[in-house]
Amino acid sequence: MEALRQDDPRHFGPYTVLARFRETASAVHYLVGGADGDDIAVVTAARPALAAVPAFRRRFQSEARTAERLAGGWVQPPLAAPADGLWTAAAYVPALTLAEAIEIAGPLPERAVRILGAGLAETLSRVHATGAVLQGLAPGTVLLAEDGPRLTAFGPLGAAAAAEANASGQLSVRLGYLTPEQVDGKDVGPASDLFVLGLLLAYAATGTTPLADGPAAEAAERIAHASAELDSVPDELRDLIAGCLAKDPADRPSAGSVAAELALEGAAGLAKGGWLPERLAASVAEQAARVRALRAPEDEADPDAAAGPAATEPADGAPAPASGPAAPEDVRPASEPADGIPAGPQDARPESGILAAPADTQDSDTQDSATQDVGTPGHQEGGLPVPASSADGDIGDSRTTRFLGTVTPAPRTDRATTQLAVPRELAAGPQPQSAEPVRPAAPPTAPFPPSAPAAQPHPYAYPVAAPQSAPAPLPLPAQAPAPAPSTAAAASATSRRALLTVVAAGVAGLVVGGGAVAALGSGDDASAADDKPAPKPRRTLPGQAPEPSWIYTHPTAEPAPLTSGVWEDKLLVLTGTTGATGIDLRTGRKIWQRADAAGAQAVLAAGKDLCFLASPTEFLWLSPKDGQVKHRVRFVDQFTGVPNMKVAPLTGRSGSVVWFTGSHTVLVKAPKPKKGQKPGRDTQVVKAYFFAYDIVLRKELWRVAVPAGRAPGTPAYGLTAVRAADLVVRQDAATLTPADVAAGKGRALFRCFDRKTGKLLWVRQFGALAPAGAALGDEEGQLYGAVGDDLQAFEMATAKPVWTLNGTASSVFGTPVPAGKLLHTTNRNQEVGAVDRATGKLLWRRSTEVPLGGNAPALTLSGGGGTLLAADASQVTAFAAADGRRLWKFQDIGAQDPKGATVSAPYRVLAAGRTAVVQRGGVFYAFPVE
């Protein structure tokens, strides 16, 4: 941290600059004060010398969008950024860079290395789940804060060891670390991030970087061919780091497995109670105190006058150069045409220092795992190309790399990545609304066993949040096949596109240094459909979600469906405020849509001929063939004695019987007053009932009076267990009256009813199980509930505890799923597991690799029983139900337009035999599962 210089800007939007904080090759970090003067933030501003280069601007803004999308977990959410400017703001977090920490206190202890690696691996896992590559790890981009690590760079530009622009508008970026595949001129992929992570963890554990230290040429040779010397690495970490440093990318572990091996409970869980050595913790505290002591200069009323002309700020918020006129948007010699192609004949030989190669470049927020970086034309001296930034071949410090004798291959179009889904009908550009999804593969034809839809709260007679509609993904530009460009055409194309490239040139197969050089070309904006051949069908790779059998996108003009359900494993029924829609489960085609079924908020099968829908005012029976309403029962007509009945969501079902609660208000007249007394007032009293109803016979089986709930009075019951003779329910905590809460003394009340008559058999509490704690019973008479941080099993007949599965601090278990002798568990530490139902013995536990902070993932067991799917707000993770092997992850692309709305709807999973239907907002994907 240092005082402001004369040419530093004094304001960024609403922020007042207080001091210089840190510097990188591409940006300067400033400490700034907010408008109220209390909140301190960090502004990352592009260096003025680079800000005028169009390629730099695109890459800077692209990496800023990546940071925004990764916000949360170990990525600080951005506070502000101008729409077209070159600065971003994030809240200040007291922290040291890893390089600063090593310089102050030397190597980190093993526990600190574990927390550091787990936090970084968790973030990488989120990036890799979308098929992208981060390329943002370096000792100067990783921060060590009091509660855990932070990542501050989100692409090669942010992690660059050096960045410079030449007069023609070319940008040369030199990375800090190199990988074996880059040495060989091959594509980078998610495994490349793992290699760099291995280097970083070894540096954290030993204070030196294996392979990359020493003379440049020797370092490159070691990276490509030598084994890493890890004798100084703690024994418990050596095998893991060695695996990350494997030469073959296929031999490196995934980010998720690294995170789980380093900290099974997650980085945040392991870091609780402090994780930094005392000396580093003191340095962080000292930094925080110095920052708090900063004050804005007293002459801030006229910052331009105080700073002079050099402190003026461009319109986009980027700091202006220290002197001289502002650089033009595209700097090139006057003799060069506007399209960036030098005048005169073009041939296949590079002319400015870096060997050209056919390029395919997208302005993506992170590097696609199958996109190969390529170079820009270079000038040859003595037959050997040299970087344009250094005519004598010297590229400076040992962390930079120059490629000799390696040729960058043409970009590949196949993407061996974890599934990143884009509705296929959108991938070719905007299409008219159609019910015809594109089916990439033959759908399953075997019938699926029935399954009940997952419970979902809806706005009935008690206060719950209304479901939010989420925008459907926006279309991507078309990707039309194109012939491979000629060498001369490639050279021309290179000057017209923004290229993020690993520089490859020369002969002799020698790579010098410890990093990679990237080049960014000036010129026109890169297109997402930059003459790229259409991708070939991909084979399923480990960790990659299988190809969807079909994808259905609900019309964007309509709100997202309120709920969805499966009828007889043949039909997916979507219900919403505008109607009901039937989707063929085999093909994904819309076969009918009915407006007269609008408002239904539960979908069930009513035998083999009808589909049952429940709304807050009536029951409907639809024909699965055409959606025609065959029967309609309004509550006011069917349920006599309960006029104007208000119902809660269905409690549950078993076979053809559904259970639900309803209530109505009656007027109770005041008793006749005695002589000489004033008459009393009439009162309104809520009467509530619990109903059993057969949806095949369309007949009420029984009703029993139950205590009313919180206003408006309907108690919502959730089904806990169904057995041969009885059922157990628990009232939703949101509908408990203050008297109920007081009587329960912080514990949940469970009610047991006779299935045949509705007679109340018992009311019971189980341990310290809270009203909102997850609970589920089985047919064998055991109830499983979340008690504090633990999961406990009880005998329902006696309420005696049977076993306890201990959790970690704040784990908080979610609703488990029984499956044979197993009980599958889930908790807020984003862990999924399995225990023996009889003994509670933990059989396996795995992390979903989602950052901590959300609810426990919702579990769904496939119809075949072989796959356990965990759904949350970030992704769907599939595990082998028997042993917990992590099979794949799935994330849809969300908003494809970087400036578009973000899809925030959580994922839902419906199981139908060997198909799992994944819903996010208005988009549905059908995946084959075991």
Side-chain angles (χ1 to χ4, degrees):
M1 185 164 50
E2 62 177 272
L4 294 176
R5 301 173 186 175
Q6 182 179 3
D7 56 351
D8 282 325
R10 295 313 194 252
H11 288 278
F12 290 95
Y15 300 103
T16 300
V17 182
L18 305 178
R20 275 180 167 250
F21 193 33
R22 295 187 181 97
E23 296 185 46
T24 65
S26 61
V28 178
H29 303 269
Y30 296 98
L31 289 167
V32 299
D36 56 7
D38 294 331
D39 297 332
I40 301 295
V42 177
V43 162
T44 301
R47 288 190 177 275
L50 302 173
V53 179
F56 177 91
R57 299 173 72 91
R58 286 192 295 269
R59 174 52 51 179
F60 188 95
Q61 293 162 356
S62 175
E63 294 185 10
R65 291 194 297 269
T66 299
E68 185 175 356
R69 292 179 180 180
L70 289 176
W74 305 116
V75 176
Q76 202 69 6
L79 298 176
D84 58 351
L86 290 175
W87 62 268
T88 60
Y92 163 72
V93 175
L96 303 171
T97 67
L98 177 59
E100 291 170 342
I102 297 299
E103 184 177 352
I104 292 172
L108 300 180
E110 180 198 337
R111 177 170 171 270
V113 175
R114 285 185 175 274
I115 294 168
L116 170 66
L120 295 178
E122 289 166 5
T123 304
L124 288 178
S125 178
R126 295 168 58 200
V127 175
H128 296 170
T130 65
V133 186
L134 183 68
Q135 291 189 292
L137 296 182
T141 66
V142 173
L143 301 182
L144 311 186
E146 183 180 13
D147 59 346
R150 296 289 192 280
L151 186 59
T152 64
F154 306 96
L157 195 61
E164 52 191 22
N166 59 26
S168 64
Q170 290 286 345
L171 178 68
S172 177
V173 173
R174 294 180 287 180
L175 305 181
Y177 284 136
L178 187 66
T179 64
E181 49 269 31
Q182 289 172 314
V183 173
D184 293 338
K186 297 178 181 178
D187 293 344
V188 295
S192 303
D193 282 336
L194 271 297
F195 188 89
V196 176
L197 178 63
L199 293 176
L200 204 67
L201 295 183
Y203 172 71
T206 65
T208 61
T209 306
L211 303 175
D213 286 347
E218 296 177 9
E221 179 67 19
R222 287 195 300 270
I223 287 172
H225 305 294
S227 299
E229 294 291 340
L230 301 176
D231 293 343
S232 300
V233 174
D235 295 342
E236 295 78 2
L237 300 174
R238 190 174 299 139
D239 288 345
L240 176 64
I241 293 177
C244 292
L245 297 178
K247 303 304 180 186
D248 187 346
D251 293 336
R252 298 171 200 158
S254 67
S257 63
V258 170
E261 185 168 346
L262 288 173
L264 184 60
E265 65 272 54
L270 187 57
K272 286 183 178 179
W275 71 293
L276 293 178
E278 183 177 352
R279 190 171 177 183
L280 295 182
S283 296
V284 171
E286 179 185 359
Q287 179 196 101
R290 293 174 60 197
V291 170
R292 285 195 302 269
L294 291 174
R295 292 291 183 270
E298 296 180 0
D299 57 352
E300 278 304 311
D302 189 5
D304 292 342
T312 58
E313 184 179 342
D316 64 0
S323 61
E329 182 70 10
D330 189 6
V331 181
R332 58 171 58 91
S335 61
E336 186 173 334
D339 64 357
I341 305 176
Q346 301 292 314
D347 60 21
R349 188 174 62 182
E351 294 191 3
S352 63
I354 304 173
L355 183 64
D360 170 45
T361 305
Q362 300 183 22
D363 186 20
S364 60
D365 289 354
T366 50
Q367 285 291 91
D368 190 285
S369 64
T371 302
Q372 173 60 39
D373 297 328
V374 294
T376 54
H379 175 68
Q380 297 184 3
E381 293 184 11
L384 294 178
V386 296
S389 60
S390 180
D392 60 1
D394 182 8
I395 56 175
D397 65 88
S398 62
R399 288 194 172 209
T400 61
T401 299
R402 161 171 69 136
F403 285 74
L404 302 178
T406 57
V407 178
T408 305
R412 296 200 306 259
T413 56
D414 56 313
R415 299 183 178 184
T417 65
T418 300
Q419 179 72 30
L420 172 64
V422 184
R424 293 170 178 271
E425 65 273 27
L426 300 180
Q431 300 286 338
Q433 294 294 342
S434 170
E436 301 289 336
V438 178
R439 296 176 295 281
T445 56
F448 307 131
S451 67
Q456 180 176 341
H458 296 298
Y460 279 81
Y462 66 97
V464 292
Q468 297 181 354
S469 61
L474 300 175
L476 285 178
Q479 296 185 355
S486 65
T487 309
S492 299
T494 300
S495 63
R496 285 193 293 263
R497 301 172 184 166
L499 301 179
L500 178 64
T501 161
V502 174
V503 177
V507 295
L510 177 63
V511 181
V512 183
V517 179
L520 293 166
S522 64
D524 300 338
D525 290 342
S527 168
D530 209 8
D531 300 328
K532 177 188 286 188
K536 299 178 181 178
R538 287 184 283 105
R539 61 187 179 90
T540 300
L541 300 175
Q544 174 187 341
E547 197 76 21
S549 302
W550 50 260
I551 301 173
Y552 171 79
T553 301
H554 204 58
T556 55
E558 300 180 14
L562 293 173
T563 191
S564 54
V566 173
W567 176 84
E568 289 291 305
D569 296 334
K570 297 177 181 178
L571 190 70
L572 173 67
V573 180
L574 315 179
T575 67
T577 56
T578 59
T581 304
I583 310 297
D584 190 321
L585 257 182
R586 186 179 65 87
T587 65
R589 297 180 59 179
K590 181 167 72 175
I591 58 176
W592 53 258
Q593 188 167 8
R594 302 291 299 191
D596 54 355
Q601 296 170 331
V603 179
L604 300 171
K608 296 185 179 297
D609 300 319
L610 294 173
C611 180
F612 171 80
L613 276 66
S615 82
T617 59
E618 62 185 358
F619 292 153
L620 301 171
W621 286 261
L622 274 61
S623 167
K625 296 181 180 179
D626 56 14
Q628 183 179 355
V629 177
K630 296 295 186 179
H631 306 284
R632 185 187 300 267
V633 171
R634 292 181 171 86
F635 299 153
V636 67
D637 300 326
Q638 176 77 31
F639 301 99
T640 58
V642 194
N644 302 316
M645 183 171 68
K646 298 177 180 178
V647 300
L650 294 183
T651 300
R653 71 168 292 181
S654 178
S656 64
V657 178
V658 297
W659 298 281
F660 65 95
T661 54
S663 70
H664 72 125
T665 303
V666 297
L667 182 66
V668 178
K669 292 187 175 293
K672 187 176 181 180
K674 294 181 180 181
K675 187 176 182 180
Q677 292 181 341
K678 294 181 179 180
R681 295 183 177 181
D682 296 342
T683 57
Q684 289 187 328
V685 177
V686 175
K687 290 189 176 181
Y689 303 91
F690 187 39
F691 295 86
Y693 188 88
D694 191 308
I695 61 176
V696 173
L697 300 176
R698 300 193 299 281
K699 175 184 177 181
E700 179 183 340
L701 302 180
W702 49 256
R703 78 176 72 167
V704 293
V706 293
R710 183 187 295 270
T714 306
Y717 286 171
L719 188 62
T720 301
V722 179
R723 298 184 291 180
D726 56 28
L727 70 148
V728 179
V729 301
R730 177 180 56 169
Q731 187 170 341
D732 189 287
T735 67
L736 292 172
T737 66
D740 294 332
V741 175
K745 297 181 180 180
R747 299 191 297 164
L749 287 172
F750 292 82
R751 292 178 170 88
C752 181
F753 295 90
D754 185 280
R755 286 187 63 176
K756 186 175 182 180
T757 65
K759 178 182 178 181
L760 179 65
L761 301 179
W762 50 257
V763 178
R764 192 164 289 154
Q765 293 178 312
F766 295 87
L769 184 56
L776 185 78
D778 61 22
E779 69 283 355
E780 297 177 0
Q782 284 198 156
L783 182 142
Y784 312 96
V787 180
D789 296 331
D790 304 329
L791 182 68
Q792 285 189 309
F794 302 88
E795 290 181 353
M796 276 193 280
T798 64
K800 292 182 179 179
V802 178
W803 51 256
T804 299
L805 175 65
N806 294 319
T808 57
S810 304
S811 58
V812 187
F813 283 84
T815 303
V817 173
K821 296 181 179 181
L822 301 181
L823 181 73
H824 294 293
T825 64
T826 174
N827 65 52
R828 288 188 186 175
N829 281 346
Q830 308 306 314
E831 295 170 331
V832 173
V835 300
D836 186 293
R837 285 171 64 180
T839 65
K841 179 183 178 181
L842 180 63
L843 303 177
W844 59 263
R845 180 183 291 167
R846 303 287 184 270
S847 170
T848 64
E849 303 161 7
V850 172
L852 304 185
N855 294 326
L859 299 183
T860 302
L861 191 65
S862 65
T867 305
L868 182 69
L869 299 115
D872 51 51
S874 300
Q875 64 190 35
V876 173
T877 311
F879 300 88
D883 57 16
R885 285 178 295 109
R886 191 178 290 102
L887 303 177
W888 47 264
K889 293 182 182 181
F890 170 77
Q891 292 179 317
D892 71 0
I893 198 168
Q896 298 167 31
D897 179 358
K899 297 182 180 179
T902 300
V903 176
S904 57
Y907 292 84
R908 288 189 64 215
V909 178
L910 292 175
R914 296 188 180 277
T915 295
V917 178
V918 174
Q919 174 190 1
R920 194 180 193 206
V923 185
F924 296 78
Y925 307 85
F927 291 104
V929 293
E930 294 298 325

